[in-house]
Amino acid sequence: HRGEGEGAPHEAVGFGRVEFSSDDGGWVVNGRLTDAGNSAIKTMEANNIAIHLVNPADDLLGDFLSAAERPFLVVGTYNLSDSAKTLAVTKKVVLSVDFDPNDVEGSIQKADQAKKLLGAATNLVAFVKSTDKINDLDTKRAFYFGLIKKGWTANDISAFVGGSLRPFGGGGQFIQR
């Protein structure tokens, strides 16, 4: 896990962030959240510290969904069982969907599958895999119009990527690895 320190940007925005990406010997051991990890989640939530879960295995994602009371961010590779999906929607967990400007059609398919799985786009955020062609107008148009052809509304797209053909790098909800 990795946290933000004194004088960090969290002071300006009013929250901090802790990233969980693998066993750390304390909060996550053998792919499972420990009692200390459960306590840490409660403390983080009480202190407005956002949880950022990276590539969680099924058991670890389930542990976080059970322990957390507030929304958190899940990025990378993850699976959602029916029970995990229900908890993720109920707790308003934000789930990333990889966007690759070099594979617009594949990115559209992934986004649409995630939206159908969750029933809405409001808990989804685009996660940029490559900056190649990220601000190419033809790429952006293909992505936006591809989502529209799949039945996405302007509100769906806005929730997912920020809703404009301006550069993806500023002001939208794209997260870059």
Side-chain angles (χ1 to χ4, degrees), residues 135-154:
N135 288 316
D136 176 74
L137 187 57
D138 290 336
T139 300
K140 290 187 278 187
R141 284 180 176 158
F143 188 62
Y144 279 79
F145 289 119
L147 292 173
I148 290 167
K149 286 179 184 175
K150 293 283 186 184
W152 287 50
T153 66

Side-chain angles (χ1 to χ4, degrees), residues 14-84:
F15 68 91
R17 175 186 65 86
V18 173
E19 180 179 291
F20 292 84
S21 58
S22 62
D23 285 9
D24 61 18
W27 293 345
V28 178
V29 174
N30 296 323
R32 300 303 302 255
L33 192 62
T34 64
D35 289 342
N38 274 302
S39 295
I41 287 173
K42 301 302 177 209
T43 300
M44 285 181 246
E45 289 179 335
N47 288 285
N48 209 25
I49 298 172
I51 296 168
H52 179 179
L53 192 54
V54 180
N55 296 320
D58 297 354
D59 288 339
L60 186 59
L61 179 56
D63 290 349
F64 272 80
L65 286 167
S66 295
E69 297 295 324
R70 297 179 66 183
F72 58 92
L73 174 64
V74 181
V75 300
T77 304
Y78 56 86
N79 293 306
L80 286 178
S81 65
D82 287 340
S83 61

Side-chain angles (χ1 to χ4, degrees), residues 115-174:
K115 180 183 173 224
K116 287 176 180 170
L117 176 70
L118 297 178
T122 53
N123 290 38
L124 300 175
V125 64
F127 202 92
V128 177
K129 289 186 67 172
S130 168
T131 58
D132 294 341
K133 299 179 8 181
I134 191 68
N135 288 316
D136 176 74
L137 187 57
D138 290 336
T139 300
K140 290 187 278 187
R141 284 180 176 158
F143 188 62
Y144 279 79
F145 289 119
L147 292 173
I148 290 167
K149 286 179 184 175
K150 293 283 186 184
W152 287 50
T153 66
N155 287 339
D156 292 335
I157 296 169
S158 180
F160 185 54
V161 295
S164 118
L165 291 176
R166 291 184 306 251
F168 283 141
Q173 285 187 226
F174 272 107

